[in-house]
Amino acid sequence: MALTDTACKNAKPKEKQYKLADGNGLYLLVIPNGRKYWRMKYRVTGKEKLLSFGVYPEVSLSDAREKRQEARKLLRTDTDPAQAKREEKRQSILNSQNNFEAVAREWHENKKDSWTEQYGINVLRRLETDIFPTLGKRPIADIEPPDMLDAIRQIEKRGA
């Protein structure tokens, strides 16, 4: 029988941790300190694995079921959901480190030896005042030509 939200709310901690099953590998793990975790048990290439979906009630029963369905779709295509989750997290970290400002500062650092000192200072100052406020935190891959044009037009508007 599938879990209900009431059953999840009313699950009390015991001396030992226990599971409340929802079906298709999804269960709510209740541990002695009272915390409740959504987990999914599955098999890939004959090995049993666990996937964590978060803490109840931050992740609701319906959210956990949606995540289970997404994981099952990946399993049908012979993709390990845990590996896909790790890769997604890695890409997110890479994108955050690969923002416009970080790349521009790296470019400036590499080029400044071929410039005069004053020119290097001016280039960095112009980037900091004109470009970084609008495009600095955005991932490089997400910046389109119209975005650059908007930033340039803002510079033109102030008469630079």
Side-chain angles (χ1 to χ4, degrees):
M1 188 167 102
L3 275 175
T4 62
D5 194 49
T6 307
C8 295
K9 283 180 190 173
N10 295 335
K12 302 293 181 211
K14 297 180 181 177
E15 270 188 46
K16 291 186 177 183
Q17 67 183 25
Y18 66 98
K19 302 173 187 176
L20 296 173
D22 185 56
N24 289 324
L26 180 66
Y27 62 89
L28 184 67
L29 179 67
V30 183
I31 60 174
N33 70 5
R35 303 276 295 194
K36 302 170 188 176
Y37 297 95
W38 290 111
R39 300 277 169 86
M40 180 181 160
K41 187 188 293 190
Y42 65 98
R43 288 187 175 276
V44 173
T45 61
K47 286 188 174 183
E48 187 176 289
K49 295 192 171 196
L50 280 177
L51 190 59
S52 180
F53 295 143
V55 180
Y56 179 85
E58 285 92 26
V59 177
S60 68
L61 176 59
S62 60
D63 291 342
R65 286 177 175 163
E66 286 176 22
K67 290 180 180 188
R68 173 189 60 197
Q69 288 309 106
E70 291 168 12
R72 289 179 60 78
K73 282 180 189 174
L74 289 172
L75 285 169
R76 282 193 291 273
T77 61
D78 293 329
T79 304
D80 183 355
Q83 185 65 34
K85 187 176 175 181
R86 277 192 295 274
E87 181 61 25
E88 187 177 308
K89 187 175 181 179
R90 190 182 73 77
Q91 282 297 335
S92 173
I93 290 169
L94 266 176
N95 283 342
S96 70
Q97 293 172 345
N98 204 13
N99 64 33
F100 186 86
E101 184 173 351
V103 172
R105 286 186 186 279
E106 183 180 340
W107 168 81
H108 180 268
E109 190 65 32
N110 291 336
K111 296 294 274 183
K112 74 177 184 181
D113 291 337
S114 63
W115 297 330
T116 65
E117 184 179 344
Q118 189 58 44
Y119 181 73
I121 291 169
N122 287 342
V123 167
L124 187 58
R125 184 178 44 78
R126 289 178 183 140
L127 285 170
E128 289 173 342
T129 58
D130 296 326
I131 303 295
F132 293 165
T134 55
L135 299 175
K137 300 298 178 204
R138 294 187 52 192
I140 282 288
D142 293 351
I143 298 174
E144 299 288 330
D147 299 326
M148 289 299 294
L149 186 59
D150 288 342
I152 291 169
R153 285 195 175 137
Q154 286 178 356
I155 297 167
E156 288 175 342
K157 277 183 188 173
R158 68 175 177 80

